[in-house]
Amino acid sequence: MAKQPKSKYKSGFVSLLGRPNAGKSTLLNAFVGEKIAIVSDKPQTTRTTVQGVISEPRGQVVFLDTPGIHRTDTQLNKRMMDAVRGALDARDLLLYLIDAARPELEQQRQALEFLQRTETPVVLVLNKVDRIADKRELLPLIEKSMELYPFRETVPVSALTGDNLDELRKVVFSYLPNGPRYFPEDHLTDQPERFLASELIREKILQATRAEVPHSVAVAIEQWLEEPKLTRISANILVERAGQKGILIGAKGEMLKRIGSEARPELEKMLGTKVYLELFVKVSTGWRDKTNVLNELDWRAQFSQASPVEPVIGE
Ligand SMILES: Nc1nc2c(ncn2[C@@H]2O[C@H](COP(=O)(O)OP(=O)(O)OP(=O)(O)O)[C@@H](O)[C@H]2O)c(=O)[nH]1
Ligand SMILES: [Mg+2]
C-alpha cells in the first residue's frame, strides 16, 4: 500500500459523551474492534474514562469513553462526573450520543448543560437505529435535538450492528488536524490488564444482578500470580450490605459460580493463558463515599503515587 504523505496524516483526541446507557462503551469497542470497555444494560456501567485508539493509514484517533452524565450523590458519582469534565478539555471533537429509541429529551437538556462551556465542536450521534423500524422518525428527533444544542451535524448509527460506523469514522477524521502518530499502531488502550480483569468480572455481576445491586458493587484484584501454565487471579467483590452479599453468593453459591464461569473465558481470551479464578464477596459499608477505597479502586491513583490524595471530607 502506498504510504500517505506525512502532511496528510491526521490525528486527534475525541471524547464520547452522553447519558448513561446511550451506548458509548459499545461504540468505543466497535471502533477499536476489541472489548476494552465493559457494557451492560444497567445505567452507570462505566465509572472512569477509558482510552481506545484506532490507527489507520489516514491517521490515528484517540477516543475517550466516559461515564454517563447523571446527577451525583456519592463521592463515587462525583468522581465519575469529574472524569466527564476532564474529558472535555483539549479535545478536537466531542461525540454526544443519544439512544434514538429512548431519547428522553428532557434529561438530555440537563446533561447538555455540561457542554455549554466548551468551544470544541460537538457532533450528535443518534445510536441504536437498529431499534427504529421507521427511519423517518429520526428527522423530528434531529430537529428537537438541535433545539437543545447547536450540534455541528448528526450521524445516525448502530454501535451494536456496525451500521453507518464507516460514515461516522469519516466524519470524525474530517474534524481532526494534521498531526503525529501519538501511539504505536498496536496500542489499543491505556488500561492495565489487572484493571481490565476486574472490570470484566464487574461486567458479569452487572449483567446478572438488578435494582441497587449493580451500583453497590466494586471489584478489587487481590492476587495475580503468573505461573508457567496458568494465571491465578483472586478478586474481592465489595458490596455495601449483607443482603447484597447473600444475593451475589446465591443459593449454594450458585450466583458466584455463574459469575466466575462467565468471567473466566473472557479473562483467558484477554491474557492468552488458562486462568484459575477465585472470587470472594466482602461487605464494605459505604465504600462509595470512602476516599481510601475509591483510591484503591482507581488505577490511575495507584499508578501516580505523586498525585495528591484528596482530603477526607466529613459529613
Ligand atoms: N439495540 C442496540 N443496543 C445497543 C446499541 N448500542 C448499545 N446498546 C446496548 O445498550 C446498553 C448500554 O450500552 P453501553 O455501551 O454500556 O452504554 P454506555 O453509554 O456506555 O452506558 P454507561 O457506561 O452506563 O454510561 C447495552 O445493553 C448495549 O448492548 C445499539 O446500537 N443498538
Ligand atoms: Mg459505558
Side-chain angles (χ1 to χ4, degrees), residues 92-161:
D92 296 294
L93 176 67
L94 305 175
L95 296 181
Y96 188 85
L97 274 75
I98 290 183
D99 175 345
R102 281 190 72 199
E104 297 179 327
L105 289 172
E106 204 39 54
Q107 282 107 312
Q108 300 297 346
R109 186 189 301 278
Q110 291 164 7
L112 282 162
E113 281 171 16
F114 251 82
L115 302 184
Q116 295 302 346
R117 293 174 299 122
T118 184
E119 304 273 302
T120 311
V122 187
V123 165
L124 174 63
V125 176
L126 287 181
N127 188 32
K128 310 196 188 182
V129 294
D130 57 293
R131 293 173 68 185
I132 310 253
D134 183 355
K135 300 288 184 275
R136 281 174 302 186
E137 284 175 29
L138 291 174
L139 286 175
L141 179 55
I142 292 171
E143 268 171 32
K144 283 185 200 141
S145 306
M146 293 299 284
E147 285 167 19
L148 298 180
Y149 194 88
F151 296 106
R152 293 289 180 97
E153 54 190 298
T154 305
V155 187
V157 303
S158 169
L160 195 68
T161 66

Side-chain angles (χ1 to χ4, degrees), residues 157-176:
V157 303
S158 169
L160 195 68
T161 66
D163 191 18
N164 218 28
L165 289 189
D166 283 346
E167 173 62 21
L168 181 55
R169 279 173 191 250
K170 211 192 283 171
V171 169
V172 167
F173 272 106
S174 74
Y175 285 86
L176 300 188

